[in-house]
Amino acid sequence: MADREAEREYDIIIVGGGPAGLTAALYAGRNKVRAVLLEAKGAVVEGALMGAGGQLLNTELIEDYPGVKSILGSDLAQIMTDQAAQFGTEMIAASVGRIRVEPDGTKVVETDRGELRAPAVIITAGGNPRKLGVPGEAELAGVGVSYCAVCDGAFFQGAHLAVVGGGDAAVEEGLFLTRYASRVTIIHRRGEFRAQPILIHEARENPKVDFILDTVVEAIEGAPKVSRVRLRNVVTGELSSLDVGGVFIFVGFLPNTGLVDTHVDHDAAGYYVTNPMTMETSVPGIFAAGDVRSQLTRQVTTAVGDATTATIAATKWVEERARRLRAGSAEAR
Ligand code: NAP
């Protein structure tokens, strides 16, 4: 199975094995459709997919998934994978290069293990927070460097935190962090914010929030966890440092929405715009769920919900298409 090089036919191909993809695999299995999940970072060991989970694997503890008081992200990922596999959805460790839409609507998913074909595809390829790329960022990720206030904020009770960025996410998440932090310093590389004025107003009114503008972070330091950021004022060139217990970085998110070879409607930030009833994109038979989708927030719970809707809708879509094709060929006879 894992070594297949040949072209294969399915009803639904699920691209990506984060919480949205694993939920889609679970529902597809229970719906008894011929489905396959493709996960680039996974590996098949003794017939079972390991290493799926997407952003769950970058999250230490998850305490906001209903029904589970507290769980390691990696544990939740493996439980979701095993649960989906139990219902029969095939899972392949494969990296998707491109999704072609043929003239008859068939989707051809090109992977490093060959081509797969299906009428419907659910894209759950997620994305990645944009990185600053400064010394200390990668080394201290998970020990003071975070890209998710909702996931990690509660671990910084009483701390002075730095938030990097000047968009909606930085200001909104900075305000959220004041629930836990003693002080939140928003560090932005320009003197003007990209964030909406109402958010800036709210931040300026909040006594726990202060700003350092026209300034970039040059390094994040500390051992074994974050204790300081080194700063440079881009106007004066002045160097300084700020003692902090954590650094939350919100300088944009890069959704993996570049796979389809035809136009798919997306918003200004590149996220797929979907029908809220079905999660279908502007391309018939291509559905999207989780972090690739344009929506208010990106949580495990929303990814799971999106994927449930997308899979039920995709199943109905595939069945309806098969009915139409059968009716068409009966008419032709
Ligand atoms: P964004 O709007 O693209 O803002 C990114 C911010 O990071 C900008 O201020 C940018 O600075 C800064 N930045 C980028 N690269 C940087 C670097 N290397 N070093 C330092 N700073 C850097 O991203 P976002 O805030 O994640 O929002 C993404 C989209 O989601 C936006 O459309 C936003 O409106 C939406 N969103 C909406 C809400 C809401 O409506 N409540 C909440 C969150 C997100 P410059 O300004 O100088 O370019």
Side-chain angles (χ1 to χ4, degrees), residues 22-323:
L22 294 170
T23 304
L26 170 68
Y27 273 80
R30 291 174 62 87
N31 288 349
K32 300 280 181 212
V33 292
R34 279 175 306 158
V36 62
L37 177 145
L38 307 173
E39 166 56 40
K41 296 202 177 89
V44 175
V45 181
E46 293 176 7
L49 183 68
M50 312 292 290
Q55 296 288 328
L56 283 178
L57 303 179
N58 300 330
T59 309
E60 175 71 9
L61 266 187
I62 293 175
E63 297 187 325
D64 54 7
Y65 192 71
V68 185
K69 278 191 178 168
S70 180
I71 189 166
L72 289 172
S74 53
D75 285 353
L76 183 58
Q78 198 57 49
I79 292 168
M80 284 185 167
T81 308
D82 296 343
Q83 190 181 5
Q86 189 185 321
F87 289 98
T89 295
E90 192 177 339
M91 300 194 190
I92 301 178
S95 173
V96 173
R98 198 161 73 115
I99 302 170
R100 273 186 353 251
V101 182
E102 305 230 303
D104 69 351
T106 300
K107 318 301 178 298
V108 181
V109 178
E110 300 175 5
T111 83
D112 57 356
R113 307 191 82 89
E115 288 190 349
L116 310 174
R117 301 168 70 87
V121 170
I122 304 176
I123 301 180
T124 58
N128 298 296
R130 186 179 285 139
K131 307 291 188 294
L132 281 178
V134 298
E137 182 181 18
E139 296 83 340
L140 292 165
V143 282
V145 172
S146 172
Y147 303 87
C148 178
V150 176
C151 319
D152 297 333
F155 302 116
F156 293 89
Q157 200 74 43
H160 178 188
L161 298 176
V163 165
V164 186
D168 285 336
V171 180
E172 201 169 71
E173 304 300 305
L175 283 165
F176 176 84
L177 287 168
T178 61
R179 293 175 192 207
Y180 310 106
S182 58
R183 190 170 150 206
V184 170
T185 300
I186 299 179
I187 302 165
H188 179 37
R189 65 182 176 184
R190 290 191 296 139
E192 282 170 18
F193 285 93
R194 191 177 289 275
Q196 305 165 53
I198 189 166
L199 285 174
I200 303 296
H201 177 73
E202 210 182 311
R204 288 199 199 285
E205 293 286 298
N206 190 314
K208 282 189 174 179
V209 178
D210 58 19
F211 301 91
I212 299 180
L213 301 181
D214 293 317
T215 296
V216 292
V217 172
E218 292 213 305
I220 302 171
E221 297 176 346
K225 55 193 175 67
V226 168
S227 59
R228 189 185 312 110
V229 283
R230 297 238 172 246
L231 306 175
R232 178 172 54 86
N233 185 301
V234 293
V235 177
T236 63
E238 188 191 343
L239 300 175
S240 63
S241 71
L242 183 70
D243 291 341
V244 290
V247 185
F248 282 74
I249 299 168
F250 301 106
V251 296
F253 186 84
L254 303 170
N256 290 325
T257 50
L259 295 172
V260 185
D261 75 346
T262 186
H263 174 81
V264 186
D265 283 356
H266 53 79
D267 66 15
Y271 296 91
Y272 288 141
V273 174
T274 52
N275 177 329
M277 286 288 284
T278 61
M279 302 295 147
E280 193 171 16
T281 67
S282 58
V283 177
I286 296 188
F287 298 77
D291 287 0
V292 288
R293 194 172 86 78
S294 180
Q295 59 180 320
L296 179 67
T297 187
R298 292 184 287 273
Q299 300 293 304
V300 183
T301 46
T302 52
V304 161
D306 289 355
T308 306
T309 304
T311 314
I312 292 171
T315 303
K316 287 179 189 294
W317 188 91
V318 166
E319 288 169 353
E320 180 55 32
R321 180 177 182 273
R323 262 194 295 278

